[in-house]
Amino acid sequence: MSDVRVTPWQDGSLPAPPPGLLAGMKARRSGGELIGIDRVLLKSFPLATGWNGLLGRIRAEFDLALEYRELIMLRVAVLNRADFEWGVHYPAHLQAGGTEEKCEALRGDATESGPLQRRRAHPARAD
């Protein structure tokens, strides 16, 4: 992860997270493996609980296609300058049917003209 100011939680660290929280976080991940953001969030159990609940619902209960949910998460990554978040959601967006062009449109400053400029105008309205 880039520029993380919190030491990520490690297996065996004390205090240990509540078993239900840890199990819930692992259940959301491929192969049950925690990723970097999970380990950072586990430094605060209330924050990790809220984040896990929110993201679990976004992933499981939203009617919006996965491609667009991932695109939204990519925009949040851009706004927060969170390279690690981009690294997680970029491949997920592509795997869900998204395109590299849409991803790059989120990163730009809308200085181009034509279709790409119009695509960049939409996220700016939502920011």
Side-chain angles (χ1 to χ4, degrees):
M1 291 191 295
S2 61
D3 300 327
V4 176
R5 294 177 295 224
V6 174
T7 303
W9 176 85
Q10 298 299 318
D11 296 330
S13 295
L14 295 177
L21 171 60
L22 194 55
M25 293 180 85
K26 287 182 175 183
R28 284 194 311 105
R29 299 295 180 202
S30 177
E33 293 294 321
L34 297 176
I35 63 172
I37 188 71
D38 298 328
R39 293 183 178 282
V40 169
L41 291 168
L42 282 168
K43 294 299 275 196
S44 167
F45 302 149
L47 182 60
T49 299
W51 183 267
N52 193 53
L54 173 66
L55 271 290
R57 284 181 178 81
I58 288 173
R59 292 222 180 249
E61 298 175 16
F62 273 32
D63 289 333
L64 191 61
L66 180 59
E67 172 189 350
Y68 298 108
R69 285 181 278 160
E70 291 296 339
L71 199 61
I72 291 166
M73 291 179 205
L74 286 172
R75 184 59 183 170
V76 170
V78 168
L79 293 172
N80 289 322
R81 295 179 182 92
D83 294 336
F84 63 91
E85 188 174 357
W86 181 273
V88 169
H89 293 285
Y90 179 78
H93 172 72
L94 296 178
Q95 188 175 20
T99 66
E100 291 180 18
E101 182 184 27
K102 287 180 183 177
C103 292
E104 290 310 312
L106 295 176
R107 289 184 131 167
D109 60 6
T111 58
E112 294 89 356
S113 60
L116 192 54
Q117 181 186 27
R118 287 192 294 277
R119 282 203 178 129
R120 287 184 174 158
H122 296 299
R125 287 185 200 122
D127 294 348

